[in-house]
Amino acid sequence: MGRKVTVAACSLNQWALDFEGNSERILRSIEIAKVHGAKYRLGPELEICGYGCGDHFFESDTLLHSFQVLRNLLESPITQDIICDVGMPIMHHNARYNCRVLFLNRKILLIRPKMMMANYGNYREMRWFSPWNQLRQVEEYFLPRMIQEITGQDTVPFGFCVLSTKDTCIGSEICAELWNPSSPHIQMGLDGVEIFTNSSASHHELRKADQRINLIKSATTKSGGIYLYANQRGCDGDRVYYDGCSMVAINGDIVAQGAQFSLNDVEVITATLDLEDVRSYRGELYQSHMPSEPRHCHRIKVDFSLSNGDDVYLPTQQPIKWHFHTPEEEISLGPACWLWDYLRRSGQAGFLLPLSGGVDSSSTACIVHSMCVLLCQAVEDNNSSVLEDIRRVVGDDSYLPKQPKELCGRIFTTCYMASENSSEDTCSRARDLARQIGSTHMNINIDMAVKGILGIFSVVTGRWPQFRVNGGSLRENLALQNVQARVRMVLAYLFAQLSLWARGKPGGLLVLGSSNVDESLTGYFTKYDCSSADINPIGGISKTDLKSFLLYCIEKFQLTALRHILAAPPTAELEPLTDGQVSQTDEADMGMTYSELSVIGRLRKISKCGPFSMFCKLIHMWKDALSPAEVAQKVKHFFRMYSVNRHKMTTVTPSYHADSYSPDDNRYDIRPFLYNTRWTWQFRCIDKQVNQMTTDTLKQ
């Protein structure tokens, strides 16, 4: 009958500028797609060079090497008899474009430049690429000589056009175009395009997966059609983790789903679908909704069919129910996969974590444990590339991990850095958790180093600072806390570099940080303390979510030591103990609770609130707990802390981006780091509003 088509969408773990590895993964995905009978293969955005090249997109080398990879793909026998849709940067009329290149049997069919750029949040595409603003217009693109030699073509179509095969019509969207209110699929659908494709580089955020799924379901519910979505997966060299979720939908139903988190470098999902289902769905829908003057897309005719003549016995995919991970599962899986990508690609031999016995460092430890669980499962599933990477990391070509706990002992070192201000409770909690996850654990006392540094200060100045409880000033109290925290950072890096050497093993360790998003927001950490590390898997996650994650780990991994950690009040343990017990707590130091900070953080970033507008929202949100005057005090206190400490964000450890209210100064949350911390005008507006509300209340 010739109406059923088999299509493939791929999630690839590409790495910025790894042209050789990227090329191999693209070819492997095409090979798998063909084995499953696919006649159209879609890959993620900018897959040839990697999406996260940043300012390397300015370099002519990036364009050159991308074309060299394209030449290899065109020459490969693997790419024959299947339409291949790959992503790469291309310069046209001296402007760079983020493009899709579609080719078949050594001929380039068309080059489709991105029209609607992602230029918000973590994305800065307008810095490197121009948007193609000439809707439904096509120009000639003159191919480089190295490509002409293979294709025999001098020019190919470049612009907003669609493919018209012998049996259907295919149109492309690129990533952010799906999220735009005037998405191209709307007009393409009205012009008869039956298959929409979307190549994407969409990063993971907690509770985000349903948004892209709803958009794709909505797109095909409104206009009918088949929608292929291919997303990158993995850490390609930056703070974000691309979380796969490649999928195929038809007429509002998801019929094929890829994994959101996986250690597989190549994942290909295929679906066989009936084009008549699209035509029947549209037949009634379009009868009364066709525009009076439809705007036609330029069609590129292709002498090729996605369907076969005899397909009556070929089964088609049926709708499935999408499985969504809980936020706790997302924390367990996303950062774990990101850590593994970073470790295997960095050439280091494992991780070192200062484990304090608190919620934050315990969360980082549990994520590493989850990573080891995933690795062992992958080895059990005969993933040879994962096993090869593990053996390279541990430096043993015959090593075969059998249990996550045993693997953890090979690649994960934890250390409790005690001082005279540390309690036995936190020491035992750290020790118990290390024993349950299997890390190589050390107890290190830092008092000797702290006293040595203070001794140097005393020799020079003739003064010895004292804690506040011993009669010292606030300046002395803070300085003494900072010395302890910074000594821990220095020792962490020393042990990361030399602990394996001391054990007669090769390599060094990456230092892991463990400050959460709320502490970063207020600056409640010492600059260049243990929060200063190589990478931080929890730097974009709130304290509230981390506590829920640890509760999940108790049940999922049977880590019962976490019960005592969750029951203890959060503390830095930098001030003297009182009768052997902790007298310092985080929330008392910060002047607000972690739950309050989560609300304030979301208002600051997501709702774009300054001090006055935040106050105006919070007087309603917190009306049952706080008076307007108390709300005003909280808001002022937060903005003072935030502005005084904002400079710390310029040096904060690169963190896994997990939440939309992250204060990461790198490019997500771009703000000054030198503020007028008095906020005189803004706070005056708040005070006037409080006075007005008080007066109005008295009049009632």
Side-chain angles (χ1 to χ4, degrees), residues 23 27 54 67 70 166 186 204 227 264 266 322 392 442 456 575 581 604 634 650 662 678:
S23 175
L27 284 172
F67 270 113
L70 179 62
K166 295 169 74 172
I186 298 171
H204 172 241
Y227 204 107
N264 294 326
V266 176
W322 190 279
R392 187 173 63 252
M442 299 179 289
I456 294 171
E575 294 188 32
Q581 299 298 314
R604 182 199 71 98
K634 292 271 188 186
T650 63
S662 167
R678 296 186 298 277

PDB file of all heavy atoms in Angstrom, residues 23 27 54 67 70 166 186 204 227 264 266 322 392 442 456 575 581 604 634 650 662 678:
ATOM      1  N   SER A  23      31.592  12.222  15.342  1.00  0.00           N
ATOM      2  CA  SER A  23      31.374  11.572  14.047  1.00  0.00           C
ATOM      3  C   SER A  23      31.075  10.085  14.223  1.00  0.00           C
ATOM      4  O   SER A  23      30.159   9.538  13.585  1.00  0.00           O
ATOM      5  CB  SER A  23      32.605  11.766  13.164  1.00  0.00           C
ATOM      6  OG  SER A  23      32.475  11.060  11.954  1.00  0.00           O
ATOM      7  N   LEU A  27      27.553   8.143  13.121  1.00  0.00           N
ATOM      8  CA  LEU A  27      27.527   6.973  12.227  1.00  0.00           C
ATOM      9  C   LEU A  27      26.899   5.759  12.904  1.00  0.00           C
ATOM     10  O   LEU A  27      26.134   5.012  12.278  1.00  0.00           O
ATOM     11  CB  LEU A  27      28.950   6.643  11.764  1.00  0.00           C
ATOM     12  CG  LEU A  27      29.537   7.569  10.687  1.00  0.00           C
ATOM     13  CD1 LEU A  27      31.006   7.267  10.463  1.00  0.00           C
ATOM     14  CD2 LEU A  27      28.754   7.444   9.375  1.00  0.00           C
ATOM     15  N   GLY A  54      30.496  27.351  22.561  1.00  0.00           N
ATOM     16  CA  GLY A  54      30.677  28.719  23.040  1.00  0.00           C
ATOM     17  C   GLY A  54      31.395  29.579  22.011  1.00  0.00           C
ATOM     18  O   GLY A  54      31.091  29.561  20.813  1.00  0.00           O
ATOM     19  N   PHE A  67      32.719  20.729   8.368  1.00  0.00           N
ATOM     20  CA  PHE A  67      32.575  20.299   6.971  1.00  0.00           C
ATOM     21  C   PHE A  67      33.396  19.040   6.701  1.00  0.00           C
ATOM     22  O   PHE A  67      32.991  18.186   5.890  1.00  0.00           O
ATOM     23  CB  PHE A  67      32.985  21.426   6.021  1.00  0.00           C
ATOM     24  CG  PHE A  67      31.845  22.336   5.644  1.00  0.00           C
ATOM     25  CD1 PHE A  67      31.826  23.655   6.049  1.00  0.00           C
ATOM     26  CD2 PHE A  67      30.782  21.853   4.882  1.00  0.00           C
ATOM     27  CE1 PHE A  67      30.771  24.491   5.707  1.00  0.00           C
ATOM     28  CE2 PHE A  67      29.725  22.677   4.531  1.00  0.00           C
ATOM     29  CZ  PHE A  67      29.712  24.001   4.949  1.00  0.00           C
ATOM     30  N   LEU A  70      31.271  16.306   7.863  1.00  0.00           N
ATOM     31  CA  LEU A  70      30.170  16.123   6.913  1.00  0.00           C
ATOM     32  C   LEU A  70      30.641  15.358   5.680  1.00  0.00           C
ATOM     33  O   LEU A  70      29.930  14.477   5.175  1.00  0.00           O
ATOM     34  CB  LEU A  70      29.599  17.486   6.508  1.00  0.00           C
ATOM     35  CG  LEU A  70      28.457  17.451   5.486  1.00  0.00           C
ATOM     36  CD1 LEU A  70      27.255  16.691   6.032  1.00  0.00           C
ATOM     37  CD2 LEU A  70      28.051  18.869   5.083  1.00  0.00           C
ATOM     38  N   LYS A 166       8.354  11.094  -2.412  1.00  0.00           N
ATOM     39  CA  LYS A 166       7.334  10.523  -3.288  1.00  0.00           C
ATOM     40  C   LYS A 166       6.072  10.148  -2.530  1.00  0.00           C
ATOM     41  O   LYS A 166       5.025   9.916  -3.143  1.00  0.00           O
ATOM     42  CB  LYS A 166       7.912   9.301  -4.008  1.00  0.00           C
ATOM     43  CG  LYS A 166       9.046   9.664  -4.955  1.00  0.00           C
ATOM     44  CD  LYS A 166       9.785   8.446  -5.457  1.00  0.00           C
ATOM     45  CE  LYS A 166       8.971   7.683  -6.486  1.00  0.00           C
ATOM     46  NZ  LYS A 166       9.759   6.596  -7.109  1.00  0.00           N
ATOM     47  N   ILE A 186       3.218  25.339  12.647  1.00  0.00           N
ATOM     48  CA  ILE A 186       1.831  25.774  12.443  1.00  0.00           C
ATOM     49  C   ILE A 186       1.571  26.004  10.958  1.00  0.00           C
ATOM     50  O   ILE A 186       0.641  25.427  10.370  1.00  0.00           O
ATOM     51  CB  ILE A 186       1.547  27.047  13.268  1.00  0.00           C
ATOM     52  CG1 ILE A 186       1.720  26.764  14.760  1.00  0.00           C
ATOM     53  CG2 ILE A 186       0.138  27.570  12.972  1.00  0.00           C
ATOM     54  CD1 ILE A 186       1.679  28.019  15.627  1.00  0.00           C
ATOM     55  N   HIS A 204      18.512  19.726  31.190  1.00  0.00           N
ATOM     56  CA  HIS A 204      17.673  19.266  32.285  1.00  0.00           C
ATOM     57  C   HIS A 204      17.468  20.348  33.332  1.00  0.00           C
ATOM     58  O   HIS A 204      18.395  21.069  33.692  1.00  0.00           O
ATOM     59  CB  HIS A 204      18.319  18.047  32.962  1.00  0.00           C
ATOM     60  CG  HIS A 204      17.636  17.619  34.223  1.00  0.00           C
ATOM     61  ND1 HIS A 204      18.263  17.602  35.454  1.00  0.00           N
ATOM     62  CD2 HIS A 204      16.358  17.220  34.452  1.00  0.00           C
ATOM     63  CE1 HIS A 204      17.420  17.198  36.378  1.00  0.00           C
ATOM     64  NE2 HIS A 204      16.257  16.961  35.795  1.00  0.00           N
ATOM     65  N   TYR A 227       5.471  13.906  14.731  1.00  0.00           N
ATOM     66  CA  TYR A 227       6.512  14.815  15.255  1.00  0.00           C
ATOM     67  C   TYR A 227       7.661  13.982  15.802  1.00  0.00           C
ATOM     68  O   TYR A 227       7.479  13.158  16.708  1.00  0.00           O
ATOM     69  CB  TYR A 227       5.941  15.705  16.360  1.00  0.00           C
ATOM     70  CG  TYR A 227       6.703  17.005  16.559  1.00  0.00           C
ATOM     71  CD1 TYR A 227       6.173  18.219  16.158  1.00  0.00           C
ATOM     72  CD2 TYR A 227       7.981  17.014  17.129  1.00  0.00           C
ATOM     73  CE1 TYR A 227       6.865  19.420  16.324  1.00  0.00           C
ATOM     74  CE2 TYR A 227       8.687  18.191  17.295  1.00  0.00           C
ATOM     75  CZ  TYR A 227       8.123  19.395  16.890  1.00  0.00           C
ATOM     76  OH  TYR A 227       8.809  20.560  17.054  1.00  0.00           O
ATOM     77  N   ASN A 264      24.239   5.426  28.164  1.00  0.00           N
ATOM     78  CA  ASN A 264      24.468   5.037  26.775  1.00  0.00           C
ATOM     79  C   ASN A 264      24.827   6.273  25.948  1.00  0.00           C
ATOM     80  O   ASN A 264      24.086   7.256  25.942  1.00  0.00           O
ATOM     81  CB  ASN A 264      23.228   4.372  26.186  1.00  0.00           C
ATOM     82  CG  ASN A 264      22.922   3.037  26.856  1.00  0.00           C
ATOM     83  OD1 ASN A 264      23.836   2.315  27.248  1.00  0.00           O
ATOM     84  ND2 ASN A 264      21.648   2.718  26.991  1.00  0.00           N
ATOM     85  N   VAL A 266      24.851   6.423  22.741  1.00  0.00           N
ATOM     86  CA  VAL A 266      23.986   6.451  21.558  1.00  0.00           C
ATOM     87  C   VAL A 266      22.681   5.740  21.884  1.00  0.00           C
ATOM     88  O   VAL A 266      22.684   4.588  22.315  1.00  0.00           O
ATOM     89  CB  VAL A 266      24.663   5.759  20.352  1.00  0.00           C
ATOM     90  CG1 VAL A 266      23.720   5.710  19.157  1.00  0.00           C
ATOM     91  CG2 VAL A 266      25.958   6.472  19.977  1.00  0.00           C
ATOM     92  N   TRP A 322       3.595   8.305  29.068  1.00  0.00           N
ATOM     93  CA  TRP A 322       4.944   8.768  29.394  1.00  0.00           C
ATOM     94  C   TRP A 322       5.231   8.564  30.878  1.00  0.00           C
ATOM     95  O   TRP A 322       4.410   8.897  31.725  1.00  0.00           O
ATOM     96  CB  TRP A 322       5.097  10.247  29.039  1.00  0.00           C
ATOM     97  CG  TRP A 322       6.520  10.713  29.114  1.00  0.00           C
ATOM     98  CD1 TRP A 322       7.203  11.067  30.231  1.00  0.00           C
ATOM     99  CD2 TRP A 322       7.439  10.849  28.028  1.00  0.00           C
ATOM    100  NE1 TRP A 322       8.504  11.417  29.917  1.00  0.00           N
ATOM    101  CE2 TRP A 322       8.669  11.293  28.574  1.00  0.00           C
ATOM    102  CE3 TRP A 322       7.343  10.647  26.653  1.00  0.00           C
ATOM    103  CZ2 TRP A 322       9.788  11.538  27.771  1.00  0.00           C
ATOM    104  CZ3 TRP A 322       8.455  10.882  25.860  1.00  0.00           C
ATOM    105  CH2 TRP A 322       9.665  11.324  26.425  1.00  0.00           C
ATOM    106  N   ARG A 392      39.573   2.369  32.579  1.00  0.00           N
ATOM    107  CA  ARG A 392      40.533   3.442  32.364  1.00  0.00           C
ATOM    108  C   ARG A 392      40.608   4.353  33.589  1.00  0.00           C
ATOM    109  O   ARG A 392      41.697   4.784  33.991  1.00  0.00           O
ATOM    110  CB  ARG A 392      40.149   4.245  31.125  1.00  0.00           C
ATOM    111  CG  ARG A 392      41.203   5.281  30.730  1.00  0.00           C
ATOM    112  CD  ARG A 392      40.908   5.952  29.415  1.00  0.00           C
ATOM    113  NE  ARG A 392      39.672   6.714  29.450  1.00  0.00           N
ATOM    114  CZ  ARG A 392      38.552   6.366  28.840  1.00  0.00           C
ATOM    115  NH1 ARG A 392      38.507   5.243  28.136  1.00  0.00           N
ATOM    116  NH2 ARG A 392      37.469   7.110  28.905  1.00  0.00           N
ATOM    117  N   MET A 442      38.565   9.021  55.394  1.00  0.00           N
ATOM    118  CA  MET A 442      39.668   9.463  56.245  1.00  0.00           C
ATOM    119  C   MET A 442      39.160  10.468  57.271  1.00  0.00           C
ATOM    120  O   MET A 442      38.263  11.263  56.981  1.00  0.00           O
ATOM    121  CB  MET A 442      40.757  10.144  55.401  1.00  0.00           C
ATOM    122  CG  MET A 442      41.391   9.269  54.346  1.00  0.00           C
ATOM    123  SD  MET A 442      42.652  10.191  53.399  1.00  0.00           S
ATOM    124  CE  MET A 442      41.617  11.293  52.446  1.00  0.00           C
ATOM    125  N   ILE A 456      51.326  32.636  62.704  1.00  0.00           N
ATOM    126  CA  ILE A 456      51.997  33.563  61.794  1.00  0.00           C
ATOM    127  C   ILE A 456      51.418  34.961  61.955  1.00  0.00           C
ATOM    128  O   ILE A 456      52.148  35.958  62.033  1.00  0.00           O
ATOM    129  CB  ILE A 456      51.853  33.077  60.335  1.00  0.00           C
ATOM    130  CG1 ILE A 456      52.603  31.753  60.136  1.00  0.00           C
ATOM    131  CG2 ILE A 456      52.356  34.131  59.347  1.00  0.00           C
ATOM    132  CD1 ILE A 456      52.345  31.092  58.804  1.00  0.00           C
ATOM    133  N   GLU A 575      32.164  27.631  65.143  1.00  0.00           N
ATOM    134  CA  GLU A 575      32.284  28.331  66.417  1.00  0.00           C
ATOM    135  C   GLU A 575      32.409  27.303  67.540  1.00  0.00           C
ATOM    136  O   GLU A 575      32.019  26.140  67.378  1.00  0.00           O
ATOM    137  CB  GLU A 575      31.066  29.240  66.654  1.00  0.00           C
ATOM    138  CG  GLU A 575      30.967  30.389  65.666  1.00  0.00           C
ATOM    139  CD  GLU A 575      29.867  31.375  66.039  1.00  0.00           C
ATOM    140  OE1 GLU A 575      29.603  31.558  67.245  1.00  0.00           O
ATOM    141  OE2 GLU A 575      29.256  31.962  65.120  1.00  0.00           O
ATOM    142  N   GLN A 581      28.222  20.379  72.708  1.00  0.00           N
ATOM    143  CA  GLN A 581      27.127  20.364  71.749  1.00  0.00           C
ATOM    144  C   GLN A 581      27.224  21.573  70.814  1.00  0.00           C
ATOM    145  O   GLN A 581      27.784  22.608  71.164  1.00  0.00           O
ATOM    146  CB  GLN A 581      25.771  20.385  72.481  1.00  0.00           C
ATOM    147  CG  GLN A 581      25.547  19.191  73.386  1.00  0.00           C
ATOM    148  CD  GLN A 581      25.543  17.874  72.623  1.00  0.00           C
ATOM    149  OE1 GLN A 581      24.906  17.753  71.580  1.00  0.00           O
ATOM    150  NE2 GLN A 581      26.264  16.884  73.152  1.00  0.00           N
ATOM    151  N   ARG A 604      12.917  36.347  43.141  1.00  0.00           N
ATOM    152  CA  ARG A 604      14.003  37.190  42.632  1.00  0.00           C
ATOM    153  C   ARG A 604      14.310  36.873  41.180  1.00  0.00           C
ATOM    154  O   ARG A 604      14.440  37.777  40.350  1.00  0.00           O
ATOM    155  CB  ARG A 604      15.257  36.994  43.485  1.00  0.00           C
ATOM    156  CG  ARG A 604      16.449  37.862  43.081  1.00  0.00           C
ATOM    157  CD  ARG A 604      17.746  37.301  43.639  1.00  0.00           C
ATOM    158  NE  ARG A 604      18.126  36.072  42.962  1.00  0.00           N
ATOM    159  CZ  ARG A 604      19.008  36.000  41.972  1.00  0.00           C
ATOM    160  NH1 ARG A 604      19.621  37.081  41.549  1.00  0.00           N
ATOM    161  NH2 ARG A 604      19.294  34.848  41.398  1.00  0.00           N
ATOM    162  N   LYS A 634      12.263  40.869  56.573  1.00  0.00           N
ATOM    163  CA  LYS A 634      12.836  39.702  55.892  1.00  0.00           C
ATOM    164  C   LYS A 634      13.392  40.099  54.520  1.00  0.00           C
ATOM    165  O   LYS A 634      14.496  39.693  54.137  1.00  0.00           O
ATOM    166  CB  LYS A 634      11.770  38.617  55.714  1.00  0.00           C
ATOM    167  CG  LYS A 634      11.294  37.960  56.991  1.00  0.00           C
ATOM    168  CD  LYS A 634      12.141  36.762  57.364  1.00  0.00           C
ATOM    169  CE  LYS A 634      11.532  36.008  58.548  1.00  0.00           C
ATOM    170  NZ  LYS A 634      12.417  34.911  59.015  1.00  0.00           N
ATOM    171  N   THR A 650      31.181  35.206  41.704  1.00  0.00           N
ATOM    172  CA  THR A 650      32.135  35.302  40.597  1.00  0.00           C
ATOM    173  C   THR A 650      33.192  34.210  40.665  1.00  0.00           C
ATOM    174  O   THR A 650      33.884  33.948  39.675  1.00  0.00           O
ATOM    175  CB  THR A 650      32.825  36.678  40.587  1.00  0.00           C
ATOM    176  OG1 THR A 650      33.589  36.839  41.786  1.00  0.00           O
ATOM    177  CG2 THR A 650      31.802  37.794  40.489  1.00  0.00           C
ATOM    178  N   SER A 662      18.569  29.534  39.903  1.00  0.00           N
ATOM    179  CA  SER A 662      19.997  29.492  40.194  1.00  0.00           C
ATOM    180  C   SER A 662      20.618  30.887  40.103  1.00  0.00           C
ATOM    181  O   SER A 662      20.332  31.645  39.176  1.00  0.00           O
ATOM    182  CB  SER A 662      20.700  28.567  39.203  1.00  0.00           C
ATOM    183  OG  SER A 662      22.100  28.733  39.276  1.00  0.00           O
ATOM    184  N   ARG A 678      22.870  49.495  50.787  1.00  0.00           N
ATOM    185  CA  ARG A 678      21.848  50.162  51.610  1.00  0.00           C
ATOM    186  C   ARG A 678      20.483  50.171  50.921  1.00  0.00           C
ATOM    187  O   ARG A 678      19.469  50.320  51.577  1.00  0.00           O
ATOM    188  CB  ARG A 678      22.291  51.595  51.932  1.00  0.00           C
ATOM    189  CG  ARG A 678      23.548  51.670  52.794  1.00  0.00           C
ATOM    190  CD  ARG A 678      23.872  53.101  53.205  1.00  0.00           C
ATOM    191  NE  ARG A 678      24.153  53.960  52.051  1.00  0.00           N
ATOM    192  CZ  ARG A 678      25.326  54.030  51.445  1.00  0.00           C
ATOM    193  NH1 ARG A 678      26.345  53.301  51.888  1.00  0.00           N
ATOM    194  NH2 ARG A 678      25.519  54.827  50.415  1.00  0.00           N
TER     195      ARG A 678
END
